[in-house]
Amino acid sequence: MMKHHEFLSKLLFAIGVFFLSTSYGQSPVALRFDPSKFVAQSQELNGKTIKVRAYEKIVYVSNPVDTAYQVMNIYIPEEYFNGGSINGYTAQTAPLFFPNKVGGYTPALPATFKNSPQRGPMPGGNQISSVLVALSKGYVVASAGARGRISPQGKAPAGIVDLKAAVRYLKANDATIPGDANKIISNGTSAGGAMSTLLGATGNHPDYEPYLKALGAANATDNIFAVSAYCPIINLENADMAYEWQLNKIHTFKFRGKEGTLDAVALKVSEELKNAFPKYVNGLNLKDNAGKKLELNAQGEGNFKEYVKSFLAASAQKALTAGVDVSKYGFLQIKDGQVQSVDYDGYMQYLERMKTPPAFDALDNSSPENQLFGSATVDKRHFTPFALHYAPNTLSSMADALQIKMMNPMNYIGAKGAKTATYWRVRHGAKDKDTSFSIPVLLATTLKNKGFKINFALPWDRPHSGDYDLDELFEWADSICSPPSPHWGS
Ligand code: DHB
């Protein structure tokens, strides 16, 4: 039998452990998930009723600065509270689908189960929400809001810090939230796609730690399992060069209702940016599938260009094989049902130019990205030495070097101190002109060269958009999560 003093010392030890574990961080009690605080919701999908417990507007940091946005919605299939399974997943094994609704780097509310149309106009009419589809396939859904560029508190890196804090909340509460927080799969489109790639690339990296600490993020890691990104607007400090390398010969533009022709200054800027791109590409030391270094010469020609073209040709081939009439595209050389090659200049005429040079770091500080890189006191700043040099306003200033670094996933993939996600799925439409094709190609190739698993494609004729292939997205997600087969052992 336990002696009295032994019992007392064990009790004191237990009390000590309890207080130590709960007093870590700022006020972690507020960050404890309460399973009893839900609202039952249901929706129909393809004749099936999806029933969930909805936990909405959970503030996910203990020192929030903006509770309109630093909130998360969590939706859990009702089955998981009754020992049930969906698609082979259970309350223990279900992956966590983590979509964000960030667009244009502006503040974003979390996605909702009800009345949650996805971002952007999608060709083909009404689009089913990824939240609903994920739940129907047995995923637990958690969607976090995030601050954005229009407020002084929302400048870079606020948005990605917020999403990382939400991941920490999910991991800290893994024991009480059904689903497996070691299987978080993020999803986003455009600026939201950028956020998704940042979540995947930068897991646990110390650069973000002071920001997370200041917010009172939960005491947990923030690395995630997998990334889904549609047309991520990333690598911003190199994207101006990439855009002009691709579209230098296209001198007319159509951008958000405005159209025109590049003037002499714009043409000069385009030329200089185009000429600077090869040095950047060559410095990455990336290899093609055969292990050959991907390069460009001073004219911007070389095997890297052929490599980019190969993804466009593969896209056209896939469309052709699926029965799309691609014969009308004069820039494709097709023989015996096979796409032989793509005429690059012809392709760019079909694509058209959207943005004027520099496409991202606007000389007059007028782009969304200029505002993203502002500070609490300066609304808009430059993030490339090039734009700062040519800025007409001599009072223009440069963003902080660390701030710029922290918004670019390319800096963190496989880097020391980062736990980069193993699995990636990246899609960028073959008719998307918001950024150069080379930007997602460089991302995918960096991932591949560093040993990460990347599923990458440029879907044919697809403009800037996301969530258009949800069945394929979740087929991929299921394949990496390997749910135990429902027929296991039978
Ligand atoms: C988005 C689109 C852009 O062209 C851009 O520069 C930044 C963000 C967006 O759709 O999120």
Side-chain angles (χ1 to χ4, degrees):
M1 221 173 87
M2 197 185 281
K3 291 204 182 93
H4 188 71
H5 70 269
E6 268 182 24
F7 174 75
L8 205 66
S9 69
K10 282 208 163 140
L11 184 70
L12 285 174
F13 179 75
I15 291 170
V17 167
F18 177 78
F19 274 102
L20 262 179
S21 64
T22 58
S23 61
Y24 192 89
Q26 312 229 356
S27 71
V29 177
L31 298 185
R32 194 174 299 147
F33 177 73
D34 181 350
S36 72
K37 276 199 187 147
F38 68 90
V39 175
Q41 293 182 350
S42 66
Q43 283 231 79
E44 301 290 313
L45 179 66
N46 302 329
K48 211 177 114 194
T49 306
I50 315 285
K51 288 187 185 169
V52 301
R53 294 192 183 182
Y55 301 84
E56 295 185 317
K57 296 190 184 165
I58 300 171
V59 178
Y60 56 71
V61 286
S62 36
N63 306 323
V65 292
D66 190 342
T67 50
Y69 296 105
Q70 290 174 315
V71 287
M72 176 155 52
N73 293 341
I74 303 177
Y75 301 103
I76 304 167
E78 182 61 33
E79 284 90 330
Y80 294 156
F81 296 94
N82 309 310
S85 72
I86 306 172
N87 186 26
Y89 297 120
T90 66
Q92 280 69 48
T93 62
L96 263 58
F97 184 62
F98 189 68
N100 74 70
K101 296 204 355 167
V102 174
Y105 289 104
T106 56
L109 293 171
T112 55
F113 177 58
K114 295 230 158 200
N115 312 319
S116 187
Q118 297 303 289
R119 290 203 51 215
M122 300 301 153
N126 280 343
Q127 199 193 6
I128 301 168
S129 122
S130 69
V131 175
L132 196 53
V133 174
L135 288 161
S136 77
K137 293 177 187 283
Y139 291 68
V140 168
V141 174
S143 181
R147 290 168 294 164
R149 63 178 162 88
I150 58 174
S151 80
Q153 303 291 340
K155 304 298 179 183
I160 180 60
V161 169
D162 285 352
L163 296 178
K164 285 165 92 67
V167 167
R168 289 189 177 199
Y169 179 98
L170 292 169
K171 292 185 135 190
N173 288 289
D174 193 22
T176 48
I177 303 175
D180 181 359
N182 290 315
K183 293 270 166 67
I184 294 177
I185 304 173
S186 71
N187 182 52
T189 297
S190 198
M195 293 296 173
S196 191
T197 64
L198 280 165
L199 280 170
T202 68
N204 308 336
H205 196 280
D207 281 353
Y208 303 84
E209 202 56 44
Y211 300 86
L212 287 158
K213 202 163 183 201
L215 289 176
N219 178 32
T221 56
D222 57 56
N223 60 297
I224 62 167
F225 177 67
V227 171
S228 161
Y230 292 94
C231 51
I233 297 289
I234 55 165
N235 206 348
L236 299 170
E237 67 273 32
N238 298 298
D240 293 335
M241 298 183 288
Y243 205 78
E244 297 316 314
W245 171 72
Q246 178 172 304
L247 286 162
N248 176 260
K249 291 186 185 159
I250 307 297
H251 294 175
T252 53
F253 66 91
K254 284 186 204 152
F255 189 23
R256 296 185 182 137
K258 271 206 285 187
E259 34 185 301
T261 305
L262 302 188
D263 62 18
V265 174
L267 290 175
K268 182 171 175 283
V269 166
S270 174
E271 198 67 15
E272 281 196 39
L273 287 167
K274 176 200 172 210
N275 291 341
F277 189 58
K279 187 171 172 221
Y280 169 65
V281 170
N282 298 345
L284 290 172
N285 279 311
L286 294 174
K287 308 277 193 298
D288 69 10
N289 292 334
K292 194 163 186 311
K293 184 176 172 182
L294 289 162
E295 289 177 296
L296 293 174
N297 65 19
Q299 286 70 48
E301 303 292 334
N303 68 344
F304 178 72
K305 185 168 174 181
E306 298 309 309
Y307 181 71
V308 172
K309 280 166 64 177
S310 75
F311 289 98
L312 296 169
S315 170
Q317 182 66 55
K318 192 170 176 202
L320 187 157
T321 307
V324 176
D325 177 14
V326 293
S327 64
K328 64 178 172 186
Y329 300 110
F331 49 82
L332 296 177
Q333 285 88 52
I334 302 166
K335 201 179 153 203
D336 302 331
Q338 299 295 312
V339 177
Q340 307 286 318
S341 63
V342 176
D343 172 54
Y344 196 76
D345 291 344
Y347 197 94
M348 294 314 148
Q349 281 169 22
Y350 147 79
L351 181 71
E352 302 179 327
R353 172 191 280 273
M354 175 185 175
K355 298 174 176 178
T356 54
F360 296 89
D361 193 352
L363 301 185
D364 63 357
N365 253 334
S366 63
S367 76
E369 288 79 10
N370 290 126
Q371 197 176 38
L372 173 69
F373 286 110
S375 70
T377 51
V378 182
D379 191 36
K380 296 166 180 175
R381 297 193 292 191
H382 290 294
F383 48 95
T384 62
F386 181 91
L388 184 70
H389 179 77
Y390 283 101
N393 181 348
T394 51
L395 293 176
S396 298
S397 59
M398 188 79 174
D400 301 330
L402 184 60
Q403 184 189 27
I404 300 167
K405 180 194 173 200
M406 289 170 75
M407 291 310 289
N408 191 347
M410 299 292 281
N411 295 321
Y412 295 93
I413 295 165
K416 194 166 172 279
K419 186 148 174 50
T420 299
T422 303
Y423 299 98
W424 294 66
R425 183 180 193 270
V426 177
R427 293 291 181 271
H428 177 104
K431 189 87 207 270
D432 189 332
K433 53 203 170 198
D434 280 51
T435 197
S436 163
F437 299 122
S438 61
I439 294 295
V441 165
L442 290 172
L443 169 71
T445 309
T446 301
L447 287 162
K448 192 161 187 193
N449 282 190
K450 295 200 173 173
F452 298 96
K453 306 259 183 282
I454 165 77
N455 178 317
F456 175 61
L458 307 174
W460 186 250
D461 206 29
R462 175 72 61 181
H464 192 65
S465 54
D467 291 0
Y468 41 74
D469 56 355
L470 293 174
D471 281 338
E472 287 167 48
L473 168 63
F474 287 104
E475 262 170 45
W476 165 80
D478 283 345
S479 78
I480 59 171
C481 294
S482 332
S485 162
H487 309 295
W488 190 259
S490 68

